[in-house]
Amino acid sequence: MAACGRGSLVLVGAPLNGRWLRASHCLPAVALTLLLAWHCGAQGGSDRVRDALGAHNQPQDGGPVGQVEVQGLPQAQFQARPQGQAQFQAPRKNIWRLSEDPMCHEDVVRLCPKHTWQNNFAVLECLQDVREVDDEISSDCNHLLWNYKFNLTTDPKFEAAAGEVCKITLGEVKECADQEPGKGYIISCLIEHRANITEYQCRQFITKMTAIIFSDYQLICGFVDSCKNDINQLKCGSIRPGEKDVHSQGEVVSCLEKALVSEDKAISDNCKKAILRVAELSSDDFHLDRHLYFSCRDDRERFCEDILGGEGRVYKCLFNHKFEEAMSDKCREALTTRQKLIVQDYKVSYSLAKACKNDLRKYRCNAENLPRAREARLSYLLLCLESSVHRGRQVSGECQGEMLDYRRMLMEDFSLSPEIVLNCRSEIELHCSGLHRKGRTLHCLMRMGRGDKGSLGQNCQQSLQSLVQETDPGADYRIDRALNEACESVIQTACKHIRNGDPMILSCLMEHLYTEKMVEECEHRLLELQYFISRDWKLDPVLYRKCQGDASRLCHTQGWNQTSEMLPPGAVFSCLYRHAYRTEEQGRRLSRDCRAEIQRILHQRALDVKLEPALQERCIIDLGKWCSEKTDPGQELECLQDHLDDLAVDCRDIVGNLTELESEDIQIEALLMRACDPVIQTYCHELADNQIDSGDLMECLVQNKHQKEMNEKCAVGVTHFQLIQMKDFRFSYKFKMACKEDVLKLCPNIKKKVDVVICLSTTVRNDTLQENKEQRVSIKCRKQLRVEELEMTEDIRLEPDLYVSCKVDIEKHCQNVPFGNAQVVECLKDVKKVLSTRCHDKIFKLQESEMSDPELDYTLMRVCKQMIKRYCADADSKNVLQCLKQNKNAELMDPKCKQMITKRQITQNTDYRLNPVLRKACKADIPKFCQSVLNNVKDGKELEGQVISCLKLKYADQVLTGQRLSSDCEDQIRIIIQESALDYRLDPQLQIHCTKEINSLCAEEVAAQEQTGQVEECLKINLLKIVGEPCKKEVLNMLQESKADIFVDPVLHAACGLDIKHQCASILPGKGRQMSCLLEALEDKTVRLQPDCKKRLQDRLEMWSYAAKVAPAEGFADLAYQVMTSPSKNYLMGLLALGVCILFLLGMTCGRITKRVTRELKDR
């Protein structure tokens, strides 16, 4: 489309070979005239030019409108002017010039430089470019200029002259030379190929001619015919010559352009093609878009003063400054209209069409089987070329640069995207009005899409997703101006090592999300963009490059610019990460590079549940129901995991799957990894560096959970993950992989991890007790089962049944006690007597299992860790406590560990069931000797040391009664008596009955730093002061026990150690033998004992004597024992013998008198 002459036709469609549109109508005689005017005025020219220039003589004043004589050319008729206006003068013989015409002379002198007066075209250009109100030209001059240009466009001889001026060019551009002459096609073709014209005169001719044509829409060939109805319908103004000034002509085209890019107005197809063709032909020269030129002339001087005209450079410069504060609103509006035309047809951008011409052809982005309307759209071009880039095809750097500019343009101004304007209108008006500039509106809509501010309609959401794909900001963050400006400081500090524009910049920003280097504004913009990138795996260029082969093979994906509406958002990525964590046995794993990239993205997106499309879609109701107040980073997923059993089925499944992935690769929990970095660097750095985690890193964190490097955030995160693991055994990756087959075989239909552990542990225990040759649980499962059992002891919450049973008691008695380090469990043990029945039973069972297997006693193992390594390294795990008890008084024993051992001894002595060694040793003795004690204890109650006290008394009485304990039981009871004699706290009955007396009589001994039998000795010495019968009885029992063996009386044993060595060396210990030896030595006047030993023995004799007096015998055996152990044994035995004799004699003499039998009875 160019200038029109008579008999012109309308536009035809674009040729299928992709060349520029051509007008099937004339390009007028204006061409030659322009050339001649320019050539003569500027250079003096040839004779032919001089003759031609002299052809334009002005008609004389007052005469009718005549014809202008043109030498060698037919005369052209001027149109009539309104009545009352001056008419043209008769032609003069000299050359006619605009500057000399009376109608324009004054305006020329006033507005145009003198050196231009001799050049008609220079004067024409000067006058038609005047825009200021104060410099407006007169109506007569306007009329003259328009008639002059119109007259030029109607001369058919110009084509021949143009052919002569552009002779060399036509020889090079065969397409134009082959056009049919005489219809203006040649010049139209030259205009279309003006970028390829190298001939100086021809280029100048085409340039000047184009400027004239585009100054008036009526001079553009076919434009009026194509758009006449649209002009009238849209009231854009059907301008007749002389009614408006020359500048208003551009307003008509501008009005039509605005209607074209508006969603509310309809333009006919022919007019639409004409408008786009005009915009296309004016794409290289800023001056050719008359409306934009006049709207932006001042802004051009302000922003683009140093930019050379041509090739669309001024347009691009103005586009780049569109949102500057100093940019005028009128220019901004005109630029926006121009940009919208580019969106409609990329060829309206000269630089883009030129730079990408070869690439478009090379990659068939203008394929013949596609409709013109589609292939011309900027979005189609971008998608097609971006697809080629992402597939690794070579696209020229110049083309990629242009694409970058226009992708940035689309992200800056939402109004350039018709779909956004149409589908998001209500959302913009309601939530995002006033944020037009610099991409703020789009980010406002993105924020709504995330659900942070209202909600988006489905159509608006899809339009936004399409725009993000078209602009592809994931490939270069600079495309998103709002993100670029918000994150500039973060990029300069945290990502300065990455090349500017590299796709990894976005990844770097995600890695620093919620860190000290991140700023709030950048955080918001980043998450808003990532929300849409996460919904289409192709929008992450690094992911697409590394995984496109795997995605095609495993997930049946299509090309980059092909999107299946059947696939839900995020479906391909979900498919990829499911395959990323498959084992080799499961088959079809991802390539190494793709797997690493999937892990990287999972680590980043786990920071925000909204970056997991499937999770957000399926859990939207549950998020609102359970987690509305959990808005901090990472809290939403934790909340869903906490309420796993309460979630809807679909939500529970996907949360479970994600948690299962986390168990294999805990680095997905990026926030947890950051919090735990000090611990990881110190204790787990080798595991963290492994590409394949397999649950080892979390296991390491659990094992080092209470190291000094562990901070509160890390401890809380690790504990939370442990708690989540208890909900399903699949959430513990190592346990799942080790025991999966065993669970299916032995514990089917059991899901909760704690139940699975109990099931498998019970199976292992039963197989062990029954001494089965083959364990039903595999060895690898038994090893991992042990790990799980030990981990569960660290926090009561890891044993849900126990925690639920004791929850009320915890709140009542252990409210301020931290859960970690088994502190709550230890607290409950300390207040066991006041616990509710249900909780008490659970704690008792827990203590039973811990005493049977001390490794399950977390507190003991933690406090005595070093002592176990020192003294019990070779001991079996089940005998660790026994080993520690044996080394309790070692010189190097840690005081804290010693205190903990004592605490466990106290616990064991409260109930024989908590002492597995004693229970096994006295299995037959307890029902034999202490059944009465068992019968008197109610079900569910602890024995409070009664059974052990019973066994202790039997041990002491066995010398006299002859009823001996079994040897194993006797050994264990002797150990208990010895231990209790050193520490009164190990005797539960003594503590129960003598608490008051101990506090009043032995306060100083109780306060001693270490118990070595002082309290027991104090009670013995103060036996006469003890009033309470229960306490007195317990002290008497202690005295009785001490008779059985000197070893159970540590004070006496310490005082008489040398005497035992000298006087009783040949006497075997036990059964009171050494005690009897010392007592005989005391009575022997020839034996000299140590003073301290002698004094202690005398004290003991007095105590035993007193005990014999105050403690009545409970039976014949007890009485006999008291007599035999009495110092007056011989005297008492003599009295007993005398009494028996007297009774015998009395019976012989008196018995017959008291009971006489009659003779009759005898004789019967």
Side-chain angles (χ1 to χ4, degrees), residues 104 390 422 443 585 656 701 727 741 855 974:
C104 291
H390 286 297
L422 179 64
H443 270 277
E585 291 80 7
L701 288 173
K727 295 178 181 292
E741 295 178 359
E855 273 194 329
R974 183 174 63 250

Side-chain angles (χ1 to χ4, degrees), residues 442-455:
L442 285 175
H443 270 277
C444 174
L445 293 172
M446 289 178 180
R447 186 159 64 254
M448 291 180 64
R450 278 177 49 84
D452 296 341
K453 180 182 178 182
S455 59

Side-chain angles (χ1 to χ4, degrees), residues 760-930:
L760 294 175
S761 299
T762 303
T763 305
V764 172
R765 184 190 64 186
N766 292 339
D767 288 347
T768 303
L769 293 176
Q770 296 170 10
E771 299 181 354
N772 293 337
K773 293 183 178 180
E774 292 186 4
Q775 289 273 357
R776 287 176 289 174
V777 179
S778 64
I779 185 170
K780 66 176 181 179
C781 180
R782 293 202 302 270
K783 290 180 179 179
Q784 190 60 36
L785 182 63
R786 188 64 176 171
V787 173
E788 301 299 331
E789 289 177 329
L790 296 179
E791 286 183 1
M792 288 166 59
T793 63
E794 186 269 336
D795 193 322
I796 191 173
R797 293 172 297 179
L798 300 180
E799 299 187 60
D801 191 27
L802 174 62
Y803 179 60
V804 172
S805 300
C806 295
K807 194 169 185 179
V808 175
D809 298 277
I810 293 171
E811 294 175 356
K812 184 176 181 180
H813 304 292
C814 308
Q815 185 176 8
N816 299 320
V817 179
F819 283 100
N821 268 337
Q823 294 178 81
V824 171
V825 172
E826 203 63 27
C827 171
L828 292 173
K829 291 177 183 177
D830 293 339
V831 295
K832 186 169 60 172
K833 292 181 181 180
V834 297
L835 296 178
S836 63
T837 302
R838 185 182 178 191
C839 180
H840 180 277
D841 293 344
K842 294 291 182 182
I843 291 295
F844 186 81
K845 289 181 179 179
L846 175 66
Q847 288 179 314
E848 270 193 285
S849 62
E850 289 178 350
M851 295 303 177
S852 300
D853 189 351
E855 273 194 329
L856 300 179
D857 189 340
Y858 184 87
T859 305
L860 175 70
M861 300 304 291
R862 178 178 62 85
V863 174
C864 296
K865 184 177 181 180
Q866 297 303 321
M867 295 301 101
I868 293 172
K869 290 181 179 179
R870 173 173 291 173
Y871 297 110
C872 309
D874 297 330
D876 184 81
S877 61
K878 297 185 181 300
N879 297 324
V880 169
L881 180 57
Q882 198 71 14
C883 172
L884 289 172
K885 286 160 62 176
Q886 294 170 0
N887 293 277
K888 174 182 172 181
N889 296 314
E891 184 178 356
L892 298 178
M893 175 60 68
D894 178 62
K896 291 184 178 179
C897 179
K898 185 174 182 178
Q899 184 179 359
M900 182 54 62
I901 296 170
T902 300
K903 192 173 182 180
R904 293 297 179 260
Q905 287 179 297
I906 294 171
T907 301
Q908 285 188 325
N909 288 351
T910 59
D911 197 311
Y912 78 96
R913 292 171 292 183
L914 300 180
N915 190 334
V917 178
L918 175 67
R919 186 176 186 176
K920 182 178 180 181
C922 300
K923 183 178 181 181
D925 300 272
I926 292 173
K928 180 178 180 181
F929 298 111
C930 307

Side-chain angles (χ1 to χ4, degrees), residues 986-1032:
L986 299 184
D987 190 336
Q989 288 292 304
L990 181 66
Q991 271 203 298
I992 291 172
H993 298 303
C994 296
T995 302
K996 182 179 178 181
E997 288 80 0
I998 291 173
N999 292 332
S1000 60
L1001 299 175
C1002 309
E1004 186 176 345
E1005 287 78 1
V1006 171
Q1009 186 173 4
E1010 186 174 356
Q1011 292 296 319
T1012 56
Q1014 311 97 309
V1015 174
E1016 289 86 343
E1017 190 68 17
C1018 171
L1019 290 172
K1020 293 173 184 176
I1021 293 172
N1022 291 284
L1023 179 59
L1024 296 176
K1025 298 180 181 179
I1026 296 176
V1027 178
E1029 289 299 324
C1031 180
K1032 185 180 290 187

Side-chain angles (χ1 to χ4, degrees), residues 31 66 70 115 125 158 196 216 290 344 363 430 496 543 564 581 613 633 674 690 803 824 908 970 1058:
V70 181
H115 69 272
E125 186 175 31
F158 275 80
N196 300 323
D216 194 323
R290 305 305 293 171
Q344 296 276 353
Y363 299 117
L430 188 60
K496 59 184 178 182
L543 173 66
S564 173
Y581 290 92
R674 292 174 191 170
N690 292 341
Y803 179 60
V824 171
Q908 285 188 325
E970 184 178 322
L1058 288 175

